[in-house]
Short mmCIF file of all heavy atoms in Angstrom, two decimals:
data_model
loop_
_atom_site.label_atom_id
_atom_site.label_comp_id
_atom_site.label_asym_id
_atom_site.label_seq_id
_atom_site.Cartn_x
_atom_site.Cartn_y
_atom_site.Cartn_z
N ALA A 229 -36.18 -66.02 -15.54
CA ALA A 229 -37.06 -66.03 -14.38
C ALA A 229 -38.47 -66.31 -14.88
O ALA A 229 -38.70 -66.45 -16.09
CB ALA A 229 -37.00 -64.71 -13.62
N TRP A 230 -39.42 -66.38 -13.98
CA TRP A 230 -40.81 -66.66 -14.35
C TRP A 230 -41.71 -65.57 -13.79
O TRP A 230 -41.54 -65.13 -12.66
CB TRP A 230 -41.26 -68.02 -13.81
CG TRP A 230 -40.60 -69.15 -14.52
CD1 TRP A 230 -39.34 -69.64 -14.31
CD2 TRP A 230 -41.16 -69.93 -15.58
NE1 TRP A 230 -39.09 -70.66 -15.16
CE2 TRP A 230 -40.17 -70.89 -15.96
CE3 TRP A 230 -42.39 -69.92 -16.24
CZ2 TRP A 230 -40.39 -71.80 -16.96
CZ3 TRP A 230 -42.61 -70.85 -17.24
CH2 TRP A 230 -41.61 -71.77 -17.60
N ASP A 231 -42.66 -65.15 -14.60
CA ASP A 231 -43.70 -64.22 -14.16
C ASP A 231 -45.03 -64.91 -14.38
O ASP A 231 -45.60 -64.88 -15.46
CB ASP A 231 -43.64 -62.92 -14.96
CG ASP A 231 -44.70 -61.91 -14.52
OD1 ASP A 231 -45.25 -62.10 -13.42
OD2 ASP A 231 -44.97 -60.96 -15.25
N GLY A 232 -45.50 -65.61 -13.33
CA GLY A 232 -46.69 -66.42 -13.49
C GLY A 232 -46.39 -67.60 -14.39
O GLY A 232 -45.44 -68.36 -14.17
N ALA A 233 -47.16 -67.75 -15.47
CA ALA A 233 -46.98 -68.89 -16.37
C ALA A 233 -46.06 -68.58 -17.54
O ALA A 233 -45.80 -69.45 -18.37
CB ALA A 233 -48.35 -69.33 -16.90
N VAL A 234 -45.57 -67.34 -17.63
CA VAL A 234 -44.78 -66.94 -18.80
C VAL A 234 -43.31 -66.81 -18.41
O VAL A 234 -42.96 -66.02 -17.53
CB VAL A 234 -45.29 -65.60 -19.37
CG1 VAL A 234 -44.47 -65.20 -20.59
CG2 VAL A 234 -46.77 -65.70 -19.74
N PRO A 235 -42.42 -67.57 -19.08
CA PRO A 235 -40.99 -67.41 -18.78
C PRO A 235 -40.46 -66.09 -19.32
O PRO A 235 -40.96 -65.56 -20.32
CB PRO A 235 -40.35 -68.60 -19.51
CG PRO A 235 -41.32 -68.96 -20.58
CD PRO A 235 -42.69 -68.60 -20.07
N GLU A 236 -39.41 -65.58 -18.65
CA GLU A 236 -38.79 -64.33 -19.06
C GLU A 236 -37.28 -64.52 -19.19
O GLU A 236 -36.66 -65.19 -18.37
CB GLU A 236 -39.05 -63.22 -18.03
CG GLU A 236 -40.51 -62.86 -17.87
CD GLU A 236 -40.74 -61.75 -16.84
OE1 GLU A 236 -39.79 -61.46 -16.07
OE2 GLU A 236 -41.84 -61.20 -16.83
N VAL A 237 -36.72 -63.93 -20.22
CA VAL A 237 -35.27 -63.83 -20.36
C VAL A 237 -34.94 -62.35 -20.19
O VAL A 237 -35.41 -61.51 -20.95
CB VAL A 237 -34.80 -64.33 -21.73
CG1 VAL A 237 -33.29 -64.17 -21.86
CG2 VAL A 237 -35.19 -65.80 -21.92
N ARG A 238 -34.13 -62.02 -19.17
CA ARG A 238 -34.01 -60.63 -18.75
C ARG A 238 -32.70 -59.95 -19.15
O ARG A 238 -32.58 -58.75 -19.00
CB ARG A 238 -34.18 -60.56 -17.23
CG ARG A 238 -35.58 -60.96 -16.79
CD ARG A 238 -35.77 -60.79 -15.30
NE ARG A 238 -37.14 -61.08 -14.89
CZ ARG A 238 -37.52 -61.19 -13.62
NH1 ARG A 238 -36.63 -61.03 -12.65
NH2 ARG A 238 -38.77 -61.46 -13.32
N GLU A 239 -31.73 -60.70 -19.63
CA GLU A 239 -30.50 -60.06 -20.11
C GLU A 239 -29.81 -61.05 -21.03
O GLU A 239 -29.57 -62.19 -20.64
CB GLU A 239 -29.59 -59.69 -18.94
CG GLU A 239 -28.25 -59.08 -19.36
CD GLU A 239 -27.41 -58.65 -18.16
OE1 GLU A 239 -27.82 -57.71 -17.46
OE2 GLU A 239 -26.36 -59.28 -17.92
N ILE A 240 -29.51 -60.62 -22.24
CA ILE A 240 -28.80 -61.47 -23.20
C ILE A 240 -27.59 -60.70 -23.69
O ILE A 240 -27.72 -59.61 -24.24
CB ILE A 240 -29.70 -61.84 -24.39
CG1 ILE A 240 -30.99 -62.53 -23.92
CG2 ILE A 240 -28.95 -62.75 -25.35
CD1 ILE A 240 -32.03 -62.68 -25.03
N VAL A 241 -26.41 -61.27 -23.48
CA VAL A 241 -25.17 -60.66 -23.97
C VAL A 241 -24.37 -61.76 -24.66
O VAL A 241 -24.08 -62.79 -24.05
CB VAL A 241 -24.35 -60.05 -22.82
CG1 VAL A 241 -23.08 -59.41 -23.36
CG2 VAL A 241 -25.18 -59.01 -22.06
N VAL A 242 -24.05 -61.55 -25.94
CA VAL A 242 -23.34 -62.57 -26.71
C VAL A 242 -22.34 -61.91 -27.65
O VAL A 242 -22.42 -60.73 -27.96
CB VAL A 242 -24.30 -63.45 -27.55
CG1 VAL A 242 -25.20 -64.29 -26.66
CG2 VAL A 242 -25.11 -62.60 -28.52
N GLU A 243 -21.41 -62.73 -28.12
CA GLU A 243 -20.50 -62.30 -29.17
C GLU A 243 -21.30 -61.90 -30.40
O GLU A 243 -22.37 -62.45 -30.68
CB GLU A 243 -19.55 -63.45 -29.55
CG GLU A 243 -18.60 -63.87 -28.45
CD GLU A 243 -17.33 -63.03 -28.41
OE1 GLU A 243 -17.30 -61.96 -29.07
OE2 GLU A 243 -16.38 -63.43 -27.70
N GLU A 244 -20.80 -60.94 -31.16
CA GLU A 244 -21.50 -60.47 -32.35
C GLU A 244 -21.80 -61.62 -33.31
O GLU A 244 -22.91 -61.71 -33.86
CB GLU A 244 -20.65 -59.41 -33.05
CG GLU A 244 -21.33 -58.74 -34.23
CD GLU A 244 -22.49 -57.84 -33.83
OE1 GLU A 244 -22.50 -57.34 -32.69
OE2 GLU A 244 -23.39 -57.67 -34.68
N ALA A 245 -20.85 -62.51 -33.51
CA ALA A 245 -21.04 -63.61 -34.45
C ALA A 245 -22.08 -64.62 -33.97
O ALA A 245 -22.59 -65.42 -34.77
CB ALA A 245 -19.71 -64.32 -34.70
N ALA A 246 -22.41 -64.58 -32.68
CA ALA A 246 -23.37 -65.53 -32.12
C ALA A 246 -24.81 -65.04 -32.18
O ALA A 246 -25.74 -65.80 -31.90
CB ALA A 246 -23.00 -65.87 -30.68
N LYS A 247 -25.03 -63.79 -32.55
CA LYS A 247 -26.38 -63.23 -32.53
C LYS A 247 -27.39 -64.04 -33.35
O LYS A 247 -28.52 -64.23 -32.90
CB LYS A 247 -26.36 -61.77 -33.00
CG LYS A 247 -25.83 -60.79 -31.97
CD LYS A 247 -25.94 -59.36 -32.48
CE LYS A 247 -25.49 -58.35 -31.44
NZ LYS A 247 -25.64 -56.96 -31.95
N PRO A 248 -27.05 -64.53 -34.55
CA PRO A 248 -28.05 -65.27 -35.33
C PRO A 248 -28.53 -66.55 -34.65
O PRO A 248 -29.58 -67.09 -35.02
CB PRO A 248 -27.31 -65.59 -36.64
CG PRO A 248 -26.22 -64.58 -36.73
CD PRO A 248 -25.81 -64.32 -35.32
N TYR A 249 -27.78 -67.04 -33.66
CA TYR A 249 -28.12 -68.30 -33.02
C TYR A 249 -28.89 -68.13 -31.71
O TYR A 249 -29.30 -69.12 -31.10
CB TYR A 249 -26.83 -69.09 -32.73
CG TYR A 249 -25.95 -69.26 -33.94
CD1 TYR A 249 -24.68 -68.69 -33.98
CD2 TYR A 249 -26.39 -69.98 -35.06
CE1 TYR A 249 -23.86 -68.83 -35.09
CE2 TYR A 249 -25.58 -70.13 -36.18
CZ TYR A 249 -24.31 -69.55 -36.19
OH TYR A 249 -23.51 -69.69 -37.29
N VAL A 250 -29.08 -66.89 -31.28
CA VAL A 250 -29.69 -66.65 -29.98
C VAL A 250 -31.13 -67.17 -29.92
O VAL A 250 -31.51 -67.95 -29.03
CB VAL A 250 -29.64 -65.15 -29.61
CG1 VAL A 250 -30.55 -64.87 -28.42
CG2 VAL A 250 -28.22 -64.73 -29.29
N LEU A 251 -31.97 -66.74 -30.85
CA LEU A 251 -33.38 -67.12 -30.77
C LEU A 251 -33.59 -68.62 -30.99
O LEU A 251 -34.40 -69.22 -30.27
CB LEU A 251 -34.19 -66.28 -31.76
CG LEU A 251 -34.20 -64.77 -31.47
CD1 LEU A 251 -35.09 -64.02 -32.45
CD2 LEU A 251 -34.63 -64.48 -30.03
N PRO A 252 -32.91 -69.27 -31.94
CA PRO A 252 -33.05 -70.73 -32.01
C PRO A 252 -32.61 -71.44 -30.73
O PRO A 252 -33.22 -72.45 -30.34
CB PRO A 252 -32.14 -71.10 -33.19
CG PRO A 252 -32.13 -69.89 -34.06
CD PRO A 252 -32.15 -68.74 -33.08
N THR A 253 -31.57 -70.92 -30.08
CA THR A 253 -31.11 -71.53 -28.83
C THR A 253 -32.17 -71.41 -27.75
O THR A 253 -32.48 -72.37 -27.03
CB THR A 253 -29.80 -70.88 -28.37
OG1 THR A 253 -28.83 -70.99 -29.41
CG2 THR A 253 -29.27 -71.52 -27.11
N LEU A 254 -32.74 -70.20 -27.61
CA LEU A 254 -33.79 -70.00 -26.61
C LEU A 254 -35.04 -70.79 -26.96
O LEU A 254 -35.74 -71.31 -26.07
CB LEU A 254 -34.11 -68.51 -26.49
CG LEU A 254 -33.00 -67.62 -25.93
CD1 LEU A 254 -33.41 -66.16 -25.98
CD2 LEU A 254 -32.64 -68.02 -24.51
N ALA A 255 -35.35 -70.90 -28.25
CA ALA A 255 -36.52 -71.67 -28.67
C ALA A 255 -36.40 -73.13 -28.23
O ALA A 255 -37.37 -73.73 -27.75
CB ALA A 255 -36.69 -71.58 -30.18
N LYS A 256 -35.21 -73.70 -28.38
CA LYS A 256 -35.01 -75.07 -27.95
C LYS A 256 -35.14 -75.20 -26.44
O LYS A 256 -35.74 -76.15 -25.92
CB LYS A 256 -33.63 -75.56 -28.41
CG LYS A 256 -33.36 -77.02 -28.07
CD LYS A 256 -32.00 -77.45 -28.60
CE LYS A 256 -31.71 -78.91 -28.24
NZ LYS A 256 -30.37 -79.33 -28.75
N ALA A 257 -34.59 -74.21 -25.71
CA ALA A 257 -34.64 -74.26 -24.24
C ALA A 257 -36.07 -74.13 -23.72
O ALA A 257 -36.42 -74.71 -22.69
CB ALA A 257 -33.76 -73.16 -23.66
N PHE A 258 -36.92 -73.37 -24.45
CA PHE A 258 -38.30 -73.12 -24.01
C PHE A 258 -39.31 -73.75 -24.99
O PHE A 258 -40.38 -73.21 -25.20
CB PHE A 258 -38.55 -71.61 -23.90
CG PHE A 258 -37.76 -70.94 -22.82
CD1 PHE A 258 -36.60 -70.22 -23.12
CD2 PHE A 258 -38.14 -71.02 -21.49
CE1 PHE A 258 -35.86 -69.59 -22.14
CE2 PHE A 258 -37.42 -70.39 -20.49
CZ PHE A 258 -36.27 -69.68 -20.81
N ARG A 259 -38.96 -74.89 -25.55
CA ARG A 259 -39.78 -75.47 -26.62
C ARG A 259 -41.18 -75.87 -26.18
O ARG A 259 -42.07 -76.04 -27.01
CB ARG A 259 -39.06 -76.66 -27.24
CG ARG A 259 -38.75 -77.79 -26.27
CD ARG A 259 -37.86 -78.84 -26.95
NE ARG A 259 -37.45 -79.91 -26.07
CZ ARG A 259 -36.41 -79.85 -25.24
NH1 ARG A 259 -35.68 -78.75 -25.23
NH2 ARG A 259 -36.08 -80.86 -24.47
N TYR A 260 -41.39 -76.03 -24.88
CA TYR A 260 -42.72 -76.43 -24.40
C TYR A 260 -43.60 -75.23 -24.04
O TYR A 260 -44.73 -75.39 -23.59
CB TYR A 260 -42.60 -77.35 -23.18
CG TYR A 260 -41.84 -78.62 -23.48
CD1 TYR A 260 -40.62 -78.89 -22.86
CD2 TYR A 260 -42.32 -79.55 -24.40
CE1 TYR A 260 -39.92 -80.04 -23.14
CE2 TYR A 260 -41.63 -80.72 -24.69
CZ TYR A 260 -40.41 -80.95 -24.06
OH TYR A 260 -39.72 -82.10 -24.35
N ASP A 261 -43.07 -74.03 -24.23
CA ASP A 261 -43.82 -72.82 -23.89
C ASP A 261 -44.34 -72.15 -25.15
O ASP A 261 -43.72 -72.21 -26.22
CB ASP A 261 -42.92 -71.85 -23.12
CG ASP A 261 -42.46 -72.42 -21.80
OD1 ASP A 261 -43.28 -72.44 -20.87
OD2 ASP A 261 -41.30 -72.85 -21.71
N LYS A 262 -45.50 -71.49 -25.04
CA LYS A 262 -46.09 -70.83 -26.20
C LYS A 262 -45.34 -69.54 -26.54
O LYS A 262 -45.23 -69.16 -27.71
CB LYS A 262 -47.56 -70.52 -25.92
CG LYS A 262 -48.44 -71.76 -25.84
CD LYS A 262 -49.90 -71.38 -25.65
CE LYS A 262 -50.78 -72.63 -25.60
NZ LYS A 262 -52.21 -72.28 -25.41
N LYS A 263 -44.89 -68.82 -25.50
CA LYS A 263 -44.13 -67.61 -25.75
C LYS A 263 -43.19 -67.33 -24.60
O LYS A 263 -43.36 -67.84 -23.49
CB LYS A 263 -45.06 -66.41 -25.99
CG LYS A 263 -45.80 -65.92 -24.75
CD LYS A 263 -46.61 -64.66 -25.10
CE LYS A 263 -47.36 -64.17 -23.84
NZ LYS A 263 -48.14 -62.93 -24.14
N VAL A 264 -42.18 -66.51 -24.88
CA VAL A 264 -41.20 -66.10 -23.89
C VAL A 264 -41.05 -64.59 -24.00
O VAL A 264 -40.93 -64.06 -25.11
CB VAL A 264 -39.83 -66.78 -24.16
CG1 VAL A 264 -38.82 -66.35 -23.09
CG2 VAL A 264 -39.98 -68.29 -24.20
N ARG A 265 -41.07 -63.90 -22.87
CA ARG A 265 -40.82 -62.46 -22.90
C ARG A 265 -39.32 -62.21 -22.87
O ARG A 265 -38.59 -62.84 -22.10
CB ARG A 265 -41.49 -61.79 -21.69
CG ARG A 265 -43.00 -61.86 -21.70
CD ARG A 265 -43.60 -60.90 -20.69
NE ARG A 265 -45.05 -61.01 -20.62
CZ ARG A 265 -45.72 -61.62 -19.66
NH1 ARG A 265 -45.06 -62.16 -18.64
NH2 ARG A 265 -47.03 -61.68 -19.68
#
Side-chain angles (χ1 to χ4, degrees):
W230 290 79
D231 181 16
V234 180
E236 297 180 346
V237 178
R238 295 184 176 170
E239 177 177 293
I240 304 169
V241 181
V242 294
E243 295 275 13
E244 186 69 26
K247 284 184 177 181
Y249 308 116
V250 167
L251 296 183
T253 303
L254 294 175
K256 183 178 179 180
F258 293 101
R259 60 188 176 276
Y260 299 115
D261 297 284
K262 292 183 178 180
K263 71 176 180 179
V264 181
R265 295 194 183 104

